[in-house]
Amino acid sequence: MIKPDAVANQHTGKIIDDILGAGFKIIAMKYVHLSDAMAEGFYAVHRERPFFKDLVSFMTSGPIVAAILEKDNAVEDFRKLIGATNPANAEEGTIRKKYAKSIDANAIHGSDSNENAEIEGNYFFSQFERF
Ligand code: GDP
């Protein structure tokens, strides 16, 4: 998911180029402004964290781009491509290093397991849209 900061700062095209350049295939993609309920549901695992309210408020501050990507070893390779959660710790050349400003406005989300990729993909896309 390309987050509201990166969309608002007109980094969407560059980020999609980086993703395609790293060998990912785009299976589905959608531009959408999340409601509070959608953002809360997506990040439900963080419900008890102190930053949850700020996270939901940020994720609903403007449109995002949701996508399903395909590649061998996709989860691990995508996490490498996007870099550390806090852009200050992200490696040179990663998407967060290039386009993120802070730990909350960190430009992009990537699923952290195959299981969560399935859940998160289903959160945004119906089977009809995907295939
Ligand atoms: P990710 O998998 O690298 O996105 O990181 P996490 O799953 O740990 O956190 C989810 C998202 O919550 C991050 O991408 C940040 O946008 C946000 N987040 C994490 N830690 C903090 C924090 O300390 N403060 C705020 N405001 N947001 C945070």
Side-chain angles (χ1 to χ4, degrees):
M1 187 195 314
I2 303 175
K3 294 188 179 183
D5 58 316
V7 174
N9 293 326
Q10 302 186 353
H11 292 142
T12 303
K14 287 172 278 181
I15 290 174
I16 292 171
D17 268 353
D18 285 355
I19 292 169
L20 293 172
F24 291 86
K25 184 173 163 194
I26 298 173
I27 302 296
M29 183 166 268
K30 146 192 306 184
Y31 189 93
V32 58
H33 196 144
L34 298 181
S35 63
D36 283 356
M38 280 284 283
E40 285 167 10
F42 187 81
Y43 278 120
V45 22
H46 294 309
R47 195 170 285 281
E48 303 306 324
R49 307 279 282 275
F51 58 81
F52 183 70
K53 259 186 112 171
D54 289 343
L55 179 58
V56 170
S57 156
F58 165 63
M59 290 304 297
T60 56
S61 65
I64 58 101
V65 177
I68 295 179
L69 306 175
E70 186 176 276
K71 185 182 184 297
D72 286 344
N73 204 36
V75 167
E76 197 184 329
D77 286 358
F78 196 71
R79 301 287 299 186
K80 272 192 207 138
L81 177 69
I82 72 178
T85 306
N86 186 344
N89 304 327
E91 277 186 43
E92 220 44 64
T94 59
I95 289 175
R96 280 170 169 163
K97 186 71 177 185
K98 290 198 277 187
Y99 307 117
K101 292 197 169 64
S102 62
I103 192 167
D104 49 328
N106 63 0
I108 192 155
H109 166 82
S111 304
D112 63 5
S113 66
N114 287 341
E115 191 193 5
N116 282 337
E118 182 86 31
I119 293 168
E120 293 174 357
N122 286 330
Y123 199 77
F124 282 110
F125 300 94
S126 70
Q127 208 171 17
F128 174 75
E129 288 171 305
R130 289 167 66 172
F131 302 108

